[in-house]
Amino acid sequence: MTITTNLSGTRTIEITEQHLETIKKYKLFSNLIDSNGIIDETVLEKLRLNTRALLETEGTDNQDIMNLCSDVIYHPNMKAAGLGNLVKAYAAYFFKTEEENEEEQTMNNGN
């Protein structure tokens, strides 16, 4: 999927399911956004610091984190608006995935 990374919509980044799964696996959005719900450059910098710390503990051999950082988080087009759209894409993806899993369980229980 593609997300726009600026308010005018002229810059984009490609996001893969693997990127979203990595965010989920390492809970990178957990406690990232303050209670005011505003995603600004400070929040983006916090995410970058969190991933940098994760790389220091996990090591650079972790391809999932390395790919997420190079492809998305540290991408030259990534701005606060892009992070907001990434959060929305993440929520939509996992809402859809959860719905599909529930549907599959219902079908399996019915058989």
Side-chain angles (χ1 to χ4, degrees):
M1 74 183 70
T2 302
I3 62 167
T4 57
T5 58
N6 62 355
L7 296 177
S8 63
T10 57
R11 297 183 184 265
T12 61
I13 296 177
E14 287 295 318
I15 306 297
T16 66
E17 287 183 21
Q18 187 60 43
H19 292 138
L20 298 173
E21 291 290 341
T22 301
I23 292 168
K24 181 180 179 182
K25 178 180 178 181
Y26 292 99
K27 300 176 182 169
L28 294 176
F29 289 164
S30 179
N31 300 319
L32 182 67
I33 303 167
D34 293 334
S35 60
N36 62 16
I38 297 172
I39 298 175
D40 57 13
E41 293 298 324
T42 306
V43 176
L44 178 58
E45 187 59 29
K46 184 178 175 182
L47 177 61
R48 288 177 173 163
L49 291 172
N50 289 346
T51 55
R52 189 175 304 148
L54 188 59
L55 280 172
E56 288 177 8
T57 59
E58 293 280 324
T60 56
D61 292 339
N62 187 324
Q63 277 307 119
D64 291 340
I65 293 291
M66 290 296 292
N67 290 339
L68 179 66
C69 286
S70 66
D71 297 346
V72 180
I73 296 173
Y74 285 95
H75 191 284
N77 289 343
M78 180 55 86
K79 306 290 182 223
L83 179 57
N85 289 332
L86 178 61
V87 169
K88 290 175 188 173
Y90 174 85
Y93 174 77
F94 283 104
F95 178 75
K96 178 184 171 194
T97 304
E98 188 175 295
E99 248 182 13
E100 289 171 354
N101 288 341
E102 287 176 9
E103 203 172 279
E104 186 177 304
Q105 283 181 343
T106 302
M107 291 176 66
N108 288 339
N109 290 339
N111 291 335

